[in-house]
Amino acid sequence: MMNLNINISRQKKGVFTIGYNGGLYDDVVTETFFKGFRQFINNYHLTPDHVKLSIYGYLRDPQVQEKWKDISEYVEFHGFIEHKASIQALYQTDVLLLLTRVGPHNSDYDNCIPGKTFEYLRSGQPILHVAQKECFVSNIIREFEQGVNAFQIEDVIEALNKLYTDWKAGQLINRVDPRILLFERRELTKQLADVLDHVTAYQHLGERKVTGEQV
């Protein structure tokens, strides 16, 4: 996780904004989210003046745009932008969307953790994590108590309703768990340097013993 000296000032907007950073695939998880998002909009008769989805990134599968074709007025697709700018933009959203590609057809991904997971956690903003089943990422979201996991369309609808209701009431929780700071590159580099210092010290001690030098 990078320390980019991001300006984290937040500007409260009149539109409930969900932010997504990264590539989008045309897969089951993406389908689940958009079906839930569409149903959420319809259930509560929301207009683009009420809710927006802001996507910063790129389309791994161009056909994924078909999934929001009928609700395109609710989606702001910004395309690929510089990393620091994309992180800055996410701080101006209300909820962060995280999609994890796991499930029966993607078993190799079950234990993968997208890099953006730690950037999301570092922001302190609530996370809506959508996956097909329990995985490492869902455990992390639960451990840090910084969002909700959704595995079915109904879960997405329920989560969005709760987040939107909390947002309207000014009750969305925004906090940074101190433990996430341990994953910043500066801290990880410090930990690695400490390990190398200990290894070097023990190696030097061993050399002195081999040569019979007084220890």
Side-chain angles (χ1 to χ4, degrees), residues 180-197:
I180 196 61
L181 302 180
L182 297 176
F183 293 96
E184 289 192 342
R185 287 188 178 179
R186 183 178 299 175
E187 179 61 29
L188 292 175
T189 301
K190 178 179 179 300
Q191 294 177 32
L192 177 60
D194 289 342
V195 170
L196 293 176
D197 285 344

Side-chain angles (χ1 to χ4, degrees), residues 28 34 36 47 59 67 74 92 115 123 140 179 183-184 195:
V28 176
F34 276 104
T47 72
L59 304 179
K67 300 191 183 304
Y74 293 87
Q92 306 306 320
S123 76
I140 290 173
R179 291 175 296 173
F183 293 96
E184 289 192 342
V195 170

Side-chain angles (χ1 to χ4, degrees), residues 156-185:
V156 174
I157 299 170
E158 181 180 354
L160 286 173
N161 180 42
K162 177 65 165 58
L163 291 164
Y164 180 64
T165 300
D166 288 347
W167 173 80
K168 286 199 300 182
Q171 296 177 351
L172 273 184
I173 297 175
N174 189 294
R175 67 177 183 83
V176 177
D177 190 310
R179 291 175 296 173
I180 196 61
L181 302 180
L182 297 176
F183 293 96
E184 289 192 342
R185 287 188 178 179

Side-chain angles (χ1 to χ4, degrees), residues 92-148:
Q92 306 306 320
T93 63
D94 301 295
V95 170
L96 300 178
L97 174 63
L98 181 60
L99 305 176
T100 302
R101 304 175 67 218
V102 300
H105 303 297
N106 294 307
S107 58
D108 290 343
Y109 292 90
D110 287 6
N111 298 327
C112 290
I113 303 175
K116 67 168 106 10
T117 303
F118 299 100
E119 293 175 338
Y120 280 17
L121 290 169
R122 180 64 178 85
S123 76
Q125 293 172 268
I127 299 169
L128 170 57
H129 171 233
V130 184
Q132 288 178 258
K133 63 179 183 179
E134 293 283 350
C135 59
F136 274 10
V137 175
S138 56
N139 290 333
I140 290 173
I141 299 299
R142 194 174 293 111
E143 171 68 22
F144 281 83
E145 298 181 347
Q146 196 173 318
V148 60

